[in-house]
Amino acid sequence: MGGPGRQIMLGPMREDTRRWIEADKRHAWHPFTPQGPWTADDHEPLVIVRGEGPWIWDSEGRRYLDGNSSIWTNIHGHAHPAINRAIVEQLGQIAHSSFLGFANPRASELASRLTGLFPPGTLERVFFSDDGSTAIEVAMKMSLQYRMQTGEPERTRFVAFADGYHGDTMGAAALGGVSRFFERFRRFGPDVGFVRSLAGLDQFAASEINAVVIEPLIQGVNEMRPWPAGMLAELRDWCDCHGVLLILDEVMTGFGRTGTMFACQREDVIPDFLCLAKGLGGGYLPIAATLTTAPVYDAFLGDPVNAFYYGHSFTANPLACAAALASLDLFLTERTLEELPAKVEHLAKLLEELASCEGVVDVRQCGLVAGIELRAGLGSPVCLRARDHGLLTRPIRDTVVLMPPLCVEREDLDLAIDALKAALAGV
Ligand SMILES: *Cc1c(COP(=O)(O)O)cnc(C)c1O
């Protein structure tokens, strides 16, 4: 098995496709993937070669609706001329320069655009990084160091929610509540307590808690489970009452997914740290941001030893910032948020129909994000079958994720639901 001379058996396909799959199976290692089944002879992975709007094409020329926005990243559709143009224009100037010691025009513009999305005097500072996980790492380190520099160094504990997900680097993973991913690394990480609901917060000494972290409105990786309405505002009050910092992970919910620009706006909550990534660059290039307040920022002034000694090589990459700016422009020119309610309502109607289909256990929706929970064992086969009907998505266990780019039209949503119905009927 697996020796360098092993023949990889594949069905009929284009020569290019065969070459790409063979090289992949020989040399690549995929995220969150048991590589045995992936490299098995009878597994023919799709090779994605092109995208336009909410559609993507594989190397065999088949078209699919991008049912999970290319793992929750894409906002305005693929190959959008405005975002492509912004990236190419920036590329003509410079692809990358260091944010360590230098400023760059796109990052200046993006920092002020992002803070401008919140009331004046709230989230005033932007610290850039590359991914959702790093946006969380920044919030963790910043909050701990803030405590050291404001006379409360004993506040070292984080509290996170059971089954939550905040990324895969060591710090972010420590906050993750999905035990099959994170349990084995627990003993290497920081002090994290887990709760299932707000009531659980009282089991910890509040004076030892540094920060509470939560995915607001809806937990993504936890099979798209929404929180009860009002819970976020209540959590903010609890934090204020006990001097605890609030970290909101809007890596998935940010940029319109839940119906408003940010999920926290639905309950008028301003966090102490807001973590953004996935949709920030429109889903075109990796870029992340951790936004924070003046009180936090001010604690890092004065003695240089108090500075935040943290950064990545590609921090504030100008190409990614250009993509993010173009994406924010599109929210205005295409009236993305104004167009959403009709789509969200249409999706709700379709999900209601789907809920009565054989094999569907539950449907959950928050904005243009849906989780369709199927009977045990149906998640993967239904998603595979749905491909034959033009829908590409992935399940989380037996919950099918439906989270198309915000630019989808209502008839595209019809296609997605029809594909799921046909797939359900076929398994
Ligand atoms: C995807 C995700 C992350 C991690 O982001 P990466 O860019 O994959 O590192 C963190 N939090 C939430 C809620 C996510 O959905």
Side-chain angles (χ1 to χ4, degrees):
M1 263 202 55
R6 185 174 71 111
Q7 270 304 107
I8 291 174
M9 310 281 287
L10 294 167
M13 61 179 67
R14 291 179 187 173
E15 204 34 55
D16 276 350
T17 305
R18 176 182 307 276
R19 201 159 39 80
W20 289 324
I21 292 179
E22 281 179 357
D24 181 290
K25 287 192 175 183
R26 287 224 158 86
H27 301 296
W29 189 344
H30 288 255
F32 283 93
T33 302
Q35 284 285 130
W38 177 273
T39 55
D41 286 345
D42 62 353
H43 178 236
E44 291 182 9
L46 300 186
V47 181
I48 304 301
V49 293
R50 191 164 80 79
E52 193 182 320
W55 306 100
I56 50 187
W57 281 260
D58 72 12
S59 55
E60 295 292 295
R62 292 171 296 212
R63 186 184 85 151
Y64 309 91
L65 184 73
D66 188 356
N68 77 350
S69 295
S70 295
I71 206 70
W72 316 358
T73 59
N74 192 283
I75 301 288
H76 304 287
H78 297 281
H80 195 296
I83 302 182
N84 285 4
R85 198 180 321 117
I87 295 171
V88 169
E89 260 170 34
Q90 180 57 44
L91 193 57
Q93 298 296 314
I94 187 169
H96 184 63
S97 59
S98 173
F99 211 51
L100 174 60
F102 306 97
N104 80 64
R106 300 296 88 77
S108 301
E109 289 158 8
L110 183 57
S112 66
R113 286 286 289 277
L114 287 174
T115 54
L117 296 171
F118 298 91
T122 59
L123 296 168
E124 294 188 331
R125 286 282 160 183
V126 180
F127 193 94
F128 289 111
S129 61
D130 314 306
D131 289 283
S133 308
T134 56
I136 295 286
E137 295 286 336
V138 168
M140 292 178 81
K141 283 193 158 180
M142 233 180 224
S143 60
L144 284 170
Q145 191 176 335
Y146 166 80
R147 297 300 191 180
M148 295 170 198
Q149 293 169 187
T150 53
E152 291 184 291
E154 69 287 353
R155 283 193 187 259
T156 54
R157 170 172 285 162
F158 291 93
V159 173
F161 285 81
D163 299 314
Y165 178 84
H166 302 287
D168 294 321
T169 52
M170 283 299 262
L175 300 178
V178 184
S179 34
R180 73 189 183 289
F181 299 159
F182 304 123
E183 209 52 49
R184 54 171 71 84
F185 294 113
R186 250 333 143 232
R187 66 199 166 90
F188 303 105
D191 178 12
V192 182
F194 289 93
V195 294
R196 297 213 154 263
S197 66
L198 296 189
L201 289 169
D202 295 322
Q203 70 187 281
F204 303 108
S207 61
E208 291 171 9
I209 302 177
N210 167 28
V212 176
V213 60
I214 188 171
E215 298 160 80
L217 286 197
I218 179 170
Q219 285 187 317
V221 171
N222 186 21
E223 303 174 1
M224 301 298 161
R225 280 179 211 282
W227 294 112
M231 183 259 208
L232 189 61
E234 223 179 299
L235 175 59
R236 175 75 271 187
D237 288 345
W238 186 91
C239 288
D240 287 342
C241 205
H242 294 93
V244 170
L245 296 165
L246 178 60
I247 301 173
L248 291 190
D249 178 349
E250 292 231 26
V251 172
M252 186 275 273
T253 53
F255 302 98
R257 289 278 175 217
T258 69
T260 45
M261 194 61 151
F262 301 106
C264 61
Q265 293 168 326
R266 293 270 288 276
E267 298 197 7
D268 277 326
V269 164
I270 301 283
D272 300 288
F273 299 91
L274 180 72
C275 302
L276 303 173
K278 290 194 171 106
L280 170 56
Y284 281 58
L285 289 166
I287 179 162
T290 306
L291 276 63
T292 192
T293 61
V296 170
Y297 176 77
D298 291 347
F300 292 77
L301 302 175
D303 192 329
V305 84
N306 288 347
F308 190 52
Y309 291 106
Y310 183 106
H312 296 283
S313 314
F314 284 97
T315 295
N317 172 258
L319 292 176
C321 290
L325 286 165
S327 171
L328 289 177
D329 285 341
L330 286 176
F331 272 97
L332 304 176
T333 56
E334 295 193 345
R335 301 171 48 81
T336 308
L337 295 177
E338 290 85 342
E339 300 284 337
L340 271 182
K343 298 175 185 181
V344 170
E345 204 179 303
H346 189 66
L347 179 61
K349 204 185 76 200
L350 293 172
L351 288 172
E352 201 183 300
E353 280 169 37
L354 189 67
S356 59
C357 287
E358 174 64 25
V360 178
V361 174
D362 189 25
V363 294
R364 297 182 282 271
Q365 183 189 5
C366 183
L368 220 49
V369 176
I372 299 143
E373 187 175 338
L374 305 180
R375 222 173 37 229
L378 286 184
S380 291
V382 164
C383 285
L384 272 180
R385 276 288 177 116
R387 291 179 182 181
D388 299 335
H389 303 280
L391 172 69
L392 202 57
T393 188
R394 284 175 67 84
I396 303 170
R397 281 185 281 192
D398 289 302
T399 296
V400 176
V401 173
L402 190 58
M403 187 198 283
L406 305 188
C407 67
V408 277
E409 298 295 344
R410 273 176 279 183
E411 52 273 23
D412 306 333
L413 294 171
D414 294 341
L415 177 145
I417 298 293
D418 286 345
L420 287 175
K421 283 183 185 163
L424 271 165
V427 296

